[in-house]
Amino acid sequence: MNSKSVLVAGGAGYIGSHTVVELINAGYEVVVVDNLSNSDISSLEGINKITGVKPTFYNVDCCDKGALSEVFKRHDFNSVIHFAAFKAVGESVEQPAKYYRNNLLSFMNVLELMVEYGRRNVVFSSSATVYGDADELPVTEDTPRKPATSPYGNTKQMSEDILRDSVRANSSLRGIALRYFNPIGAHPSALIGELPRGVPNNLVPYITQTAAGIRECLSIFGQDYPTPDGSCLRDYIDIVDLAKAHVAAIDRMVEERGKESYEVFNIGTGRPVSVFELVHVFEEANNLKLNYKVAPRRAGDVPAVWADTTRANEVLGWRAERALVDTLKAAWQWERNVRGIE
Ligand code: UFG
């Protein structure tokens, strides 16, 4: 098997496309599968412009095991990164079966095919959502997971468990789950970035769309939380830094550096930032005023969560590097590119 080749499932999406760029920059050959259900084929053009490489692409749904197995037959990648999942918390509450079916089936298909075709290393996209409303902050990887409050969150917990058990059962497999905090921003080239469909659920796309005049006003959900300024605290991680964490995880497995065959890492900055602070840094970074108002709390939001990143720093040799101000400049530059704003 080719240890310098990686299959990226969901590689046309927001986190996937940035990760493909960093893998190519690190010398990996990349095969992308994506069903384009929440992504756009144009991201592959962006990847090509940034790296000079057009990754091999298959429009394949990972829930279609037959189609996915053809990709395994054709290519000799020894590693897989699995991003191919739905991620809207609210939608998952309304349509739980859709989330369980897609997120679990696609990942189980990947794992079964890896065993069948003798492929070794897998990275799973997990989330800080597994910690829920944690009793102690910052959270370490050993902080107990709380019962999930949404089907989306439950698929992350279940997928972590499926990965752990699969690795335990198959000595040929190694797995790393990366628990992302809040990924934001865009590639500094502004050639790839986040493309939310419809009204954005997440804070930064809502901010950039408000600045672009597509949304009238940002609602800040709650200013009565037990935090210094009353708004929620999150750990916002730059998308390029996050992408590089995947390369570090693949490198670690390819080089057989870990003693444990299943490992978990928090991927964040380790710094809590409030919603008000984020809005103000965005305004200062881009020299503009944002239309915003305070609104009631959003159901399901935890007051605060941020990462202890010691394990990722020491074991993966990875750390977040980009300053928030630069991340928010890139987010705005990307939005302007997409909208054709000078
Ligand atoms: N927020 C606003 N206004 C908005 C959108 C968000 O004030 O229009 C606030 C939220 O209340 C929260 C913060 O901005 O305090 C961040 O909200 P996001 O929706 O951007 O991110 P979340 O922390 O809610 O969600 C993220 C991921 C989820 C994951 C969750 C828990 O997007 O996939 O973290 O780890 F489940």
Side-chain angles (χ1 to χ4, degrees), residues 87 89 127-129 152 182 201-203 206 218-221 232 234 236 275 298 301:
K87 60 164 194 171
V89 178
S127 165
T129 197
Y152 159 79
N182 288 60
N201 293 310
N202 298 116
L203 179 60
Y206 208 104
L218 169 76
S219 293
I220 294 184
F221 297 138
C232 293
R234 293 289 183 275
Y236 295 94
V275 180
R298 180 171 71 176
D301 277 342

Side-chain angles (χ1 to χ4, degrees), residues 86-89 127-132 150 152-153 156 180-184 194 200-207 210 217-222 225 231-236 273-276 278-279 293 295-298 300-303 305:
F86 296 148
K87 60 164 194 171
V89 178
S127 165
T129 197
V130 301
Y131 298 114
S150 72
Y152 159 79
K156 292 298 175 194
Y180 313 150
F181 283 68
N182 288 60
I184 61 165
E194 193 169 5
N201 293 310
N202 298 116
L203 179 60
V204 169
Y206 208 104
I207 288 175
T210 304
C217 183
L218 169 76
S219 293
I220 294 184
F221 297 138
Y225 284 100
S231 67
C232 293
L233 297 173
R234 293 289 183 275
D235 184 334
Y236 295 94
V273 171
S274 78
V275 180
F276 285 116
L278 190 110
V279 167
K293 63 172 189 232
R297 291 181 178 195
R298 180 171 71 176
D301 277 342
V302 299
V305 62

